[in-house]
Amino acid sequence: MPALIFDCDGVLADTEQYGHLPAFNRTFADFGVPVQWSVEEYAKKVQIGGGKERMRSILTPSLAASLGLQDGDAVDNAIASWHQRKTETYKALVESGVMPARPGIARIAREAHDAGWTLAVASTSAEPAVRAVLAHAVGEDLASHFSVFAGDVVPKKKPAPDIYLLALRELGIEPQDAIVLEDSANGLHAAVAAGLRTVVTVSGFTRGEDFAGAALVVSSLGDPDGEQAEVLADPHGVRPSGVFTLATLEKLLALPATTHETETP
């Protein structure tokens, strides 16, 4: 059966601004790190794949010295401690309900599951955080049917294709039998490099990015009685009409595997 593979942040929920950013800033404050990212600063940091990597990006030699981090081992230990606290803080924010699922996520996951599709999440975020967002977005019962590939399970994070190659291998799925939902250029590059048809549902931090290579670009998946999906690029003419459905997925799956190129929206 075909597979539907979701990214997490920005796809399942709009997690970056309302979850990850405050969790990073609270963690920095908790550990006495004199850094507080603004929304504008964080918009640049989201282009770095992985939370630990984003944290590491602040550690100039002078800041590391001021924090008493005298060598590489000390830096690695500090990053590990910060990231553990950040993940705990982030999970608490998820569970508080401040980040509702994006339109259409629970609906399309249910439609795909009921049709026998394999469901998975492939993300470079920490696995406990990904599982928390997934359960909140689609419900505990449906979440139990997902395979989750997340965190440090691959050596290179997005835009490298490693996480998607791992998902394909573990699921026993060929690239032509899967569709990915992503929200960022980094995620799109990772999926396309793995040979996967990719739908981009743009998020607040990514709308202006270059999505050349996507099979379809939409503002969201839409819901029949709620937000409607705006089509931003539709090179293959699948024409989702306000709502992205299983029929849309089936049209995309029928595309030749080598014709994913599109104009930049």
Side-chain angles (χ1 to χ4, degrees):
M1 292 302 294
L4 179 59
I5 306 175
F6 297 76
D7 175 43
C8 178
D9 298 312
V11 171
L12 296 179
D14 196 355
T15 57
E16 295 290 4
Q17 182 171 344
Y18 302 107
H20 288 292
L21 175 55
F24 277 119
N25 283 340
R26 289 182 195 178
T27 299
F28 292 147
D30 288 347
F31 283 90
V33 179
V35 172
Q36 289 289 288
W37 286 327
S38 66
V39 171
E40 293 73 22
E41 289 169 330
Y42 190 66
K44 298 177 181 178
K45 294 297 181 183
V46 296
Q47 298 175 25
I48 301 173
K52 292 177 183 176
E53 290 76 8
R54 292 176 197 173
M55 287 177 157
R56 194 176 294 274
S57 73
I58 71 171
L59 282 175
T60 61
S62 60
L63 179 55
S66 72
L67 294 171
L69 306 177
Q70 301 300 327
D71 55 34
D73 287 343
V75 169
D76 290 346
N77 290 336
I79 293 293
S81 296
W82 299 352
H83 192 256
Q84 181 178 0
R85 176 70 63 82
K86 182 261 174 182
T87 298
E88 294 167 352
T89 303
Y90 175 76
K91 285 181 64 181
L93 287 169
V94 172
E95 290 162 2
S96 74
V98 300
M99 292 169 283
R102 292 197 65 196
I105 289 298
R107 175 183 54 76
I108 199 67
R110 174 56 65 185
E111 288 179 13
H113 172 263
D114 289 349
W117 287 49
T118 296
L119 299 174
V121 176
S123 171
T124 51
S125 292
E127 183 176 342
V130 171
R131 290 190 179 277
V133 174
L134 176 62
H136 188 72
V138 305
E140 293 280 357
D141 178 63
L142 188 54
S144 68
H145 296 282
F146 278 72
S147 297
V148 175
F149 307 96
D152 297 324
V153 293
V154 290
K156 295 180 181 179
K157 297 187 177 180
K158 299 174 185 178
D162 299 34
I163 193 72
Y164 285 117
L165 294 174
L166 173 67
L168 291 171
R169 185 167 62 250
E170 293 295 317
L171 294 172
I173 297 289
E174 295 297 322
Q176 63 267 25
D177 296 324
I179 295 176
V180 168
L181 296 180
E182 270 286 357
D183 77 305
S184 70
N186 273 352
L188 170 64
H189 294 158
V192 170
L196 292 157
R197 297 172 181 82
T198 307
V199 174
V200 173
T201 62
V202 297
S203 61
F205 280 120
T206 68
R207 191 178 182 99
E209 294 182 0
D210 182 355
F211 296 120
L216 179 68
V217 183
V218 292
S219 60
S220 73
L221 301 185
D223 272 319
D225 299 320
E227 178 179 317
Q228 298 293 285
E230 175 188 359
V231 178
L232 304 178
D234 184 13
H236 304 293
V238 296
R239 298 182 179 85
S241 180
V243 178
F244 186 99
T245 66
L246 189 66
T248 314
L249 288 176
E250 291 168 341
K251 287 181 182 179
L252 292 171
L253 201 62
L255 294 173
T258 57
T259 60
H260 303 163
E261 295 79 16
T262 181
E263 72 276 8
T264 302

